[in-house]
Amino acid sequence: MKQARKINNALFNSLNSNISDPFIVIDHNGEILSLNRYAEVLFSIKAPAKNIFELFSDQSIDRLSDLIEKVFSGNGPVSESINLVLKSGGEFNVNVIINSYNEENELFIFCTFRKQEYKLGLEGIARLKVQTINTQDIISNNLILDIIEQIKSLYPFTYIGKEKMNKEINKLEEMFWLKDNNGIYVLANNKLADNLGVKSSQIEGKQAMSFLPAYLIDFYNAIEKYISETLNCISLDGIPFAGSGDPTKYQTIEIPLSDTDNNIIAIIGIAGIKEKRIENQAAEISNEPLVNILENFPGVAAIFDNEGIIKHQSKEFSKLASTEILDLRNFNYKNVLPLNISEKIRHSLELKSV
């Protein structure tokens, strides 16, 4: 007869109540012994609790299994950023922290899943945040939420449907746009057109990248690719358009629309004056060192001073170097990067200073 497992429910309940990230306790076979409400919501877990490996795709299961093995072989916690794909169809970029706990010869595995937030400081863009939550949690304007729902039901538009949505978005005080999956503007309201100094008819049908400052194009391409691949919302403290006034006053949100096969079909964009609560959130992280911010950035990025000296860099940026030096800070980019890359950076910096 199998001996009943001894579970310290008081400990697990305390952990569930005090950990604000999705948190799951499993045994060595992956059976879910305890979890908090954040894990229930994020992974759509309903009672009775399942085996954790029943929740994810085969590839995600392999990654989790490898991390659990690392805990046992290294005798310590493991923390890594991974992409988790649910069997139900959801997908999340998370930093997973796994540790083991022994109590009276019972082995328990603690799994914490922290949703990724990538942040990057650039002129015109103060902060970049990845959102894996509902749009209602980042947009408080009910009129915008209603417009988003209308677009979801009408897109792709008929002529009448497009005219209807143009009237709706022109009621907004915020800038509003819709791009197709090729980055072409399908809708652009008068507020956006006024800020760009053109008519809305001059925006629709044009590539969105043609309205960006040259030095932000590569960065914004990376954001667009990320939205397309993950279907996550993106929130920017700032505004990516050229000639839009003081960018620090704005918040920009981009929301992907997908078909039934989770293929992206369009991206909705909204830019408006930041609300007080958003400004307070930005203030809380404003002192975070750039070196730590870039440490978590998943792509190639660096901050230069006016003389072309590299002040901070991401891990991926160092791979571009023509030298074996990994830490490129305080070097002039011309001395450590290949000529073809240096020329592109020089051209971007010259455009930025115009």
Side-chain angles (χ1 to χ4, degrees):
M1 181 175 175
K2 186 178 179 181
Q3 184 178 6
R5 178 185 289 112
K6 297 178 182 179
I7 298 178
N8 189 332
N9 288 316
L11 171 63
F12 293 167
N13 290 338
S14 176
L15 290 171
N16 290 338
S17 299
N18 288 283
I19 296 177
S20 58
D21 293 303
F23 176 74
I24 299 176
V25 181
I26 61 175
D27 67 9
H28 67 282
N29 292 316
E31 181 184 346
I32 297 175
L33 307 177
S34 176
L35 70 162
N36 64 7
R37 61 187 181 89
Y38 299 104
E40 290 177 352
V41 172
L42 183 65
F43 300 128
S44 301
I45 301 173
K46 297 186 173 101
K50 304 176 180 179
N51 187 294
I52 193 172
F53 297 124
E54 295 175 9
L55 301 175
F56 304 110
S57 68
D58 291 343
Q59 186 174 1
S60 297
I61 290 169
D62 290 342
R63 286 290 289 122
L64 283 174
S65 298
D66 288 343
L67 294 181
I68 291 172
E69 283 299 318
K70 281 187 179 181
V71 172
F72 294 141
S73 61
N75 295 316
V78 169
S79 175
E80 287 193 23
S81 297
I82 64 173
N83 187 62
L84 288 178
V85 179
L86 297 178
K87 285 186 177 177
S88 61
E91 187 171 355
F92 307 94
N93 286 281
V94 297
N95 179 253
V96 59
I97 303 166
I98 299 178
N99 204 352
S100 60
Y101 170 71
N102 284 282
E103 182 173 303
E104 297 184 11
N105 296 321
E106 290 286 350
L107 175 66
F108 304 106
I109 300 166
F110 293 168
C111 305
T112 304
F113 302 88
R114 186 165 295 159
K115 290 183 289 184
Q116 291 280 44
E117 291 188 357
Y118 298 125
K119 304 165 188 172
L120 180 65
L122 287 173
E123 182 177 333
I125 296 179
R127 183 168 66 122
L128 164 63
K129 183 175 181 181
V130 177
Q131 301 280 356
T132 58
I133 54 181
N134 293 328
T135 52
Q136 290 89 341
D137 293 322
I138 52 174
I139 299 174
S140 58
N141 187 324
N142 288 328
L143 180 55
I144 292 178
L145 291 172
D146 182 60
I147 288 172
I148 291 172
E149 290 305 311
Q150 290 185 62
I151 290 174
K152 287 179 179 178
S153 65
L154 293 175
Y155 192 83
F157 301 126
T158 62
Y159 176 82
I160 295 175
K162 184 174 183 297
E163 289 299 301
K164 169 181 167 60
M165 293 316 307
N166 269 323
K167 289 179 181 179
E168 292 295 320
I169 64 177
N170 282 328
K171 296 176 184 177
L172 297 173
E173 295 181 358
E174 296 84 357
M175 289 173 259
F176 191 99
W177 61 91
L178 176 72
K179 297 176 291 190
D180 67 16
N181 55 2
N182 293 312
I184 305 294
Y185 281 117
V186 178
L187 293 175
N189 71 351
N190 291 335
K191 190 73 174 179
L192 175 61
D194 290 343
N195 274 271
L196 293 176
V198 297
K199 296 179 180 179
S200 58
S201 59
Q202 295 175 290
I203 300 175
E204 294 176 0
K206 303 288 196 311
Q207 273 283 348
M209 294 300 167
S210 63
F211 295 93
L212 288 175
Y215 66 94
L216 283 182
I217 288 177
D218 288 343
F219 174 68
Y220 209 71
N221 272 328
I223 293 177
E224 296 285 279
K225 182 179 179 182
Y226 179 82
I227 293 174
S228 298
E229 291 179 350
T230 66
L231 299 181
N232 285 337
C233 301
I234 290 290
S235 172
L236 298 168
D237 279 5
I239 191 167
F241 301 111
S244 305
D246 183 1
T248 62
K249 295 180 179 179
Y250 290 89
Q251 180 189 39
T252 301
I253 297 169
E254 290 208 320
I255 302 164
L257 300 182
S258 60
D259 60 20
T260 54
D261 295 321
N262 285 328
N263 296 314
I264 193 164
I265 56 174
I267 295 176
I268 293 171
I270 309 110
I273 301 297
K274 288 190 289 187
E275 295 178 7
K276 186 176 175 76
R277 62 180 175 82
I278 297 173
E279 292 173 339
N280 289 341
Q281 289 171 357
E284 289 175 6
I285 68 159
S286 61
N287 294 323
E288 186 172 3
L290 279 175
V291 64
N292 291 333
I293 294 172
L294 286 179
E295 186 81 16
N296 294 319
F297 188 66
V300 176
I303 304 295
F304 305 91
D305 68 12
N306 292 333
E307 304 300 322
I309 303 299
I310 301 167
K311 306 307 293 183
H312 301 289
Q313 65 175 67
S314 68
K315 292 177 181 177
E316 291 296 314
F317 183 84
S318 63
K319 295 178 182 179
L320 299 178
S322 54
T323 172
E324 294 183 359
I325 299 173
L326 296 179
D327 189 351
L328 304 178
R329 288 174 297 174
N330 298 319
F331 283 91
N332 191 295
Y333 71 90
K334 297 176 184 177
N335 298 329
V336 292
L337 297 179
L339 181 60
N340 62 327
I341 298 176
S342 295
E343 283 299 301
K344 290 180 181 178
I345 293 174
R346 180 186 63 79
H347 183 63
S348 295
L349 290 176
E350 287 176 353
L351 288 173
K352 180 180 174 182
S353 62
V354 171

